[in-house]
Amino acid sequence: MSDASSPASVSSASVPALGEAILAGERAALARAITLVESRRADHRRQAQALIQQLLPKAGKAIRVGITGVPGVGKSTTIDALGSYLTAKGHKVAVLAVDPSSTRSGGSILGDKTRMARLAVDPCAYIRPSPSSGTLGGVAAKTRETMLLCEAAGFDVILVETVGVGQSETAVADLTDFFLVLMLPNAGDELQGIKKGIIELADMIAVNKADGAGAAAARAAAAQYQAALHILAPASPLWSPPVITISGLTGEGLEALWSKVEAHRARHEAKGLIAEKRRRQDVKWMWAMVQDRLQARLRHDPALKARTPELEAAVAAGRLAPTLAAEEIAQALGL
Ligand SMILES: Nc1nc2c(ncn2[C@@H]2O[C@H](COP(=O)(O)OP(=O)(O)OP(=O)(O)O)[C@@H](O)[C@H]2O)c(=O)[nH]1
Ligand SMILES: [Mg+2]
């Protein structure tokens, strides 16, 4: 069930209490904490960091799955069906999203709730739409912290949806243990447009809408993707990304899909590779956040904001060497 989060205003003394409430599985506390994490206010950021630090030892126990695909491929429909299958098996499922374009005033929120009708009323599921503003790095960093809060709250499956635009797939792949790429059955054009980068990120490809009249086309597409994977994907001794067909609408193939996710986890966990991947991701996140802060300084520092248009114009006009302009900006940043 998704909560409408109230404006977060937590006195610093009550951060530990909020943490305890999250650990006890209180939905309202989780929603408040996520609101803190998403807030831009400096005092909220500090409280959020204290909270994350407190809860970190209790986080990390979930299977984290990223799901991408072009608009309309059926991500939300599939997540609704997969999530319901998983809660019926006793899992607690959190659904998060990374959509850096979702400043469109909650449009995606409504969309997702109607497309995830079953999960939206499932007491063992929690749906949280994408943080609605900021850079991709900023949005993804907040989603990452929200994921940690959900784990501390006892969610053992985290599904992160992202629409396949820009670099959002890479950001979500860097948040998750397993990256699932959904494809449409009409492979012809799709295969042409397939980005090599996506294939390299994929731990599995699922051709969706393999139902009714689409079933045969889906099977044909799956065969083509399988062939493409052999050519494009780097061979790993541990895992060859499978290509399967599913229907998010009927639920067909979702059991097989999940058994692949579990097989991937078992195989990698046995060699300590999930933990290793997460440590690598953490280091990458650290640098991504440093870069985000530097960029924010670049954009918001009043002196720089006043000066950079002139510098840009002078460089563009050939009046100033780029090196000199860069030097001035670096000095202003204290570098
Ligand atoms: N036949 C069939 N239709 C499906 C299936 N999955 C989704 N659809 C339909 O495809 C349309 C888009 O589904 P969504 O789940 O909203 O797709 P999405 O990938 O989440 O879309 P965005 O959030 O806009 O990127 C809807 O009309 C669904 O009913 C499927 O397995 N079979
Ligand atoms: Mg969707």
Side-chain angles (χ1 to χ4, degrees), residues 74-77 111-112 115-116 161:
K75 297 178 292 298
S76 301
T77 307
D112 283 340
R115 293 273 158 72
M116 299 191 204
E161 172 178 347

Side-chain angles (χ1 to χ4, degrees), residues 248-293:
L249 207 57
T250 67
E252 206 164 313
L254 295 182
E255 197 175 334
L257 184 158
W258 192 252
S259 73
K260 298 281 186 202
V261 175
E262 285 184 326
H264 176 275
R265 183 182 178 84
R267 216 172 285 179
H268 287 76
E269 212 162 41
K271 294 190 182 299
L273 293 176
I274 297 283
E276 190 189 301
K277 182 175 185 176
R278 288 182 177 184
R279 283 195 296 271
R280 260 188 286 122
Q281 289 174 335
D282 283 349
V283 172
K284 214 165 155 182
W285 276 106
M286 177 187 80
W287 286 116
M289 283 184 273
V290 169
Q291 276 182 8
D292 228 52
R293 298 265 288 261

Side-chain angles (χ1 to χ4, degrees), residues 27-273:
R27 230 23 113 75
L30 177 61
R32 258 171 91 202
I34 295 174
T35 309
L36 271 187
V37 157
E38 291 179 352
S39 172
R40 287 161 177 269
R41 270 175 50 179
D43 57 332
H44 287 171
R45 291 299 307 151
R46 276 193 300 277
Q47 290 170 345
Q49 289 319 315
L51 195 58
I52 300 275
Q53 200 59 38
Q54 176 190 350
L55 295 177
L56 211 50
K58 308 284 186 188
K61 295 191 183 74
I63 300 191
R64 304 168 177 174
V65 179
I67 300 175
T68 195
V70 296
V73 70
K75 297 178 292 298
S76 301
T77 307
T78 301
I79 288 172
D80 192 43
L82 177 65
S84 304
Y85 164 74
L86 292 171
T87 59
K89 278 181 58 154
H91 289 289
K92 284 184 74 186
V93 178
V95 179
L96 312 178
V98 171
D99 178 6
S101 67
S102 76
T103 356
R104 36 178 174 146
S105 65
S108 62
I109 304 174
L110 292 174
D112 283 340
K113 279 208 184 153
T114 50
R115 293 273 158 72
M116 299 191 204
R118 274 176 289 174
L119 273 193
V121 295
D122 189 329
C124 293
Y126 182 77
I127 301 173
R128 184 77 183 189
S130 178
S132 63
S133 60
T135 59
L136 170 60
V139 168
K142 286 171 185 175
T143 303
R144 183 180 162 277
E145 292 180 343
T146 295
M147 177 172 80
L148 299 175
L149 294 176
C150 289
E151 288 180 342
F155 289 90
D156 64 346
V157 175
I158 312 278
L159 305 176
V160 188
E161 172 178 347
T162 194
V163 68
V165 291
Q167 291 299 305
S168 65
E169 306 98 334
T170 313
V172 170
D174 282 339
L175 285 175
T176 50
D177 308 321
F178 188 95
F179 197 63
L180 169 64
V181 178
L182 298 186
M183 294 285 187
L184 288 166
N186 52 332
D189 296 332
E190 179 83 4
L191 204 56
Q192 304 296 316
I194 196 169
K195 291 185 262 174
K196 185 165 184 286
I198 290 264
I199 292 285
E200 280 169 350
L201 292 177
D203 292 303
M204 174 158 63
I205 289 179
V207 182
N208 191 33
K209 309 198 183 187
D211 46 49
R219 277 194 301 275
Q224 282 183 274
Y225 287 125
Q226 191 76 71
L229 268 182
H230 279 309
I231 299 164
L232 292 172
S236 151
L238 222 51
W239 189 255
S240 312
V243 182
I244 62 169
T245 59
I246 60 164
S247 168
L249 207 57
T250 67
E252 206 164 313
L254 295 182
E255 197 175 334
L257 184 158
W258 192 252
S259 73
K260 298 281 186 202
V261 175
E262 285 184 326
H264 176 275
R265 183 182 178 84
R267 216 172 285 179
H268 287 76
E269 212 162 41
K271 294 190 182 299
L273 293 176

